[in-house]
Amino acid sequence: MFKLYIISTNMNIGLIGSGGREHALCLKLFQSNSPKKIFCFPGNAGTANIATNIEVDILNFNKVFKLIKFYKIDIVIIGPEEPLVKGLVNFLNKKKVKVFGPNKYASKLEGSKAFMKNLCKANKIPTANFKICSSINHVKDFLKTSNFPIVVKADGLAAGKGVTICKNKRTVLDISGEIFKGKFKSSKKVVLEEFLMGEEASYFLVVDRNSFKFFGSAQDHKRVGEKDRGPNTGGMGAYSPAPIVSKVVENKIIERIVKPTLNALKKKKQFYKGFLYVGLMIKNNDPYLIEYNVRMGDPECQVILPRLKTDFLSIVKNTINDNLKNIKIKWRKQKSMTIVLCSKGYPGKYKKNQKIKNLNNVKLKKNNFIFHAGTKRIQKNIYSIGGRVLNVTSVGNNLLKVRKDIIKIIEKINWRAGFFRKDIGWKIIDKNENN
Ligand code: AMP
Ligand code: GLY
């Protein structure tokens, strides 16, 4: 008699980042059927419950690599843009570490708006008219022929603070002047753009050397105030899917934007690997590229992943092995929403280290999730350490009901040092009561 032994090799996974996005990624990895151990570099109070958090500066690549060796990590998934743009993938690949994420060249799609706009121009990808400026005289030239508003953008990474919509000449000159003086360390170039009207949507893909697959759509709310007023933030809430991305629009996104972009990289013998976030303005059913991000969105990830049915770790492994075309990615039909609970004062000044007392007492149903962002745990207590602190997500058939469920949970948390928007999804919920 033969005995059949099934050898299950335990895989060690390294997840880089510490936001709500990474908690959502971590939970999906945790729920995977494959045996594994997850290490978060550095993670947050939420990931600490399902993985091992390792304190490290994620931009110190040597340190990160030493820890990867020490913990015998088999694959690394990179959540945020900064290590991607700074070349962590190239650094780790050289050391024979397998990584899910784009390399330094491909990450310029997010890391340099000038690179992205030039690529669009060379490949006839629909986007706002623009001029790349390296002096105030270039700016003045553009002003001679363009109408207001004008969008002024810092070329390099600017932690979400690099874009200003300007209604007059003075503001364009002032904001450009600050960027030329080095307000953002990443680059002193300015990109001026025509203002696009329409409805925004985020469209996501997972990409490997040979193919790409749809990875959800979402709409987020960037402004701090209700009815989308007030200053921009990292995102106050989101819902998925984005109804504006119809099949017709999706085909145009793929044919006019995604394929020409990936082909342009291939022509340079460069390949994309990982998540690709296509930030769009949609006008009369025509998509225009506003921006690329080389990662999942935050908070979009926290609404997209709860709808994913396919084993996430298997998607990651197949992407790393350039095998994406052999898997089918399946989604729940239901809708999801997340509301971000922020520290009072955000996106301006806010207090840190505020205890979130009731968090441990909140009981969640199967379709509800609390993803941590700016939190830390000290003994059994959770404290805030950032502007965006928790993401409360719920999945269901009706967005109005989903939103009510989320607000009930936030009310149970009853965190006095926090605030949140009660109107996430207002445009589609008000338009269609059945949503
Ligand atoms: P970005 O960092 O490029 O995504 O810009 C941040 C936000 O500014 C976008 O989500 C849009 O709401 C807005 N924005 C950027 N570029 C344009 C544009 N050309 N026309 C209209 N709005 C824009
Ligand atoms: N939610 C916008 C972003 O992730 O950039």
Side-chain angles (χ1 to χ4, degrees), residues 23-154:
H23 187 190
L25 290 166
C26 188
L27 181 64
K28 270 289 169 192
L29 292 169
F30 178 77
Q31 289 167 340
S32 163
N33 291 327
S34 311
K36 77 266 143 191
K37 246 182 132 177
I38 311 164
F39 296 86
C40 293
F41 300 89
N44 59 33
T47 63
N49 292 328
I50 47 177
T52 307
N53 281 358
I54 313 286
E55 199 46 52
V56 65
D57 168 7
I58 57 172
L59 298 178
N60 185 338
F61 292 178
N62 277 313
K63 258 285 175 44
V64 170
F65 175 62
K66 273 191 192 142
L67 290 166
I68 285 170
K69 284 275 118 190
F70 184 79
Y71 289 101
K72 300 191 165 53
I73 304 281
D74 300 293
I75 56 172
V76 174
I77 301 163
I78 303 177
E81 63 277 14
E82 210 177 348
L84 292 167
V85 169
K86 292 191 168 152
L88 182 54
V89 170
N90 305 57
F91 180 89
L92 292 178
N93 280 163
K94 252 189 218 151
K95 305 210 179 260
K96 305 271 179 282
V97 179
K98 290 185 175 169
V99 193
F100 179 93
N103 67 18
K104 192 172 181 175
Y105 185 91
S107 296
K108 284 202 282 189
L109 286 174
E110 175 167 2
S112 167
K113 298 210 187 276
F115 173 86
M116 181 282 259
K117 294 298 275 190
N118 281 331
L119 185 141
C120 285
K121 196 172 174 185
N123 295 282
K124 300 195 173 59
I125 294 169
T127 187
N129 287 329
F130 68 100
K131 184 177 173 78
I132 297 162
C133 306
S134 45
S135 77
I136 211 78
N137 283 336
H138 291 161
V139 175
K140 286 181 182 160
D141 278 351
F142 186 79
L143 287 175
K144 278 182 204 152
T145 54
S146 27
N147 301 321
F148 288 92
I150 288 174
V151 188
V152 180
K153 298 188 175 182

Side-chain angles (χ1 to χ4, degrees), residues 246-348:
S246 60
K247 262 280 158 236
V248 172
V249 172
E250 179 168 22
N251 283 337
K252 291 178 185 170
I253 297 170
I254 289 175
E255 295 303 324
R256 298 178 187 175
I257 299 175
V258 173
K259 284 187 182 168
T261 301
L262 297 176
N263 287 338
L265 293 180
K266 276 184 195 156
K267 267 194 231 147
K268 299 264 178 208
K269 302 219 165 17
Q270 296 285 342
F271 292 91
Y272 199 95
K273 191 178 285 254
F275 293 124
L276 181 62
Y277 169 146
V278 192
L280 299 156
M281 189 67 86
I282 294 160
K283 189 180 171 185
N284 302 331
N285 282 323
D286 280 327
Y288 296 84
L289 181 67
I290 295 186
E291 62 165 347
Y292 271 129
N293 293 315
V294 295
R295 51 175 173 80
M296 274 309 280
D298 186 341
E300 290 97 325
C301 190
Q302 295 88 301
V303 284
I304 287 176
L305 283 184
R307 299 184 50 239
L308 175 67
K309 286 207 282 194
T310 309
D311 185 298
F312 177 56
L313 182 52
S314 117
I315 297 174
V316 170
K317 285 197 264 184
N318 278 289
T319 307
I320 290 178
N321 296 329
D322 293 317
N323 236 344
L324 249 186
K325 61 170 181 293
N326 295 332
I327 58 167
K328 195 162 168 43
I329 301 182
K330 291 194 179 148
W331 300 93
R332 288 165 76 171
K333 286 228 164 54
Q334 285 173 309
K335 299 160 190 173
S336 65
M337 181 183 287
T338 193
I339 301 182
V340 183
L341 183 55
C342 301
S343 300
K344 273 184 190 155
Y346 174 78

Side-chain angles (χ1 to χ4, degrees), residues 113 128 151 153 163 193-196 200 222 290-291:
K113 298 210 187 276
V151 188
K153 298 188 175 182
V163 176
E193 277 184 27
E194 141 203 50
F195 180 80
L196 291 174
E200 277 187 72
K222 289 206 171 90
I290 295 186
E291 62 165 347

Side-chain angles (χ1 to χ4, degrees), residues 371-387:
F371 296 117
H372 288 237
T375 61
K376 74 173 173 197
R377 194 166 74 180
I378 303 176
Q379 282 143 7
K380 284 199 169 143
N381 298 315
I382 309 287
Y383 293 84
S384 64
I385 52 161

Side-chain angles (χ1 to χ4, degrees), residues 18 22 36 41 50 69 109 117 190-191 207 215 252 276 325 337 362 366 368 390 400 415:
S18 60
E22 285 74 24
K36 77 266 143 191
F41 300 89
I50 47 177
K69 284 275 118 190
L109 286 174
K117 294 298 275 190
V190 168
V191 178
V207 185
F215 206 73
K252 291 178 185 170
L276 181 62
K325 61 170 181 293
M337 181 183 287
V362 179
K366 211 175 94 220
N368 298 332
L390 296 171
L400 183 60
W415 185 44

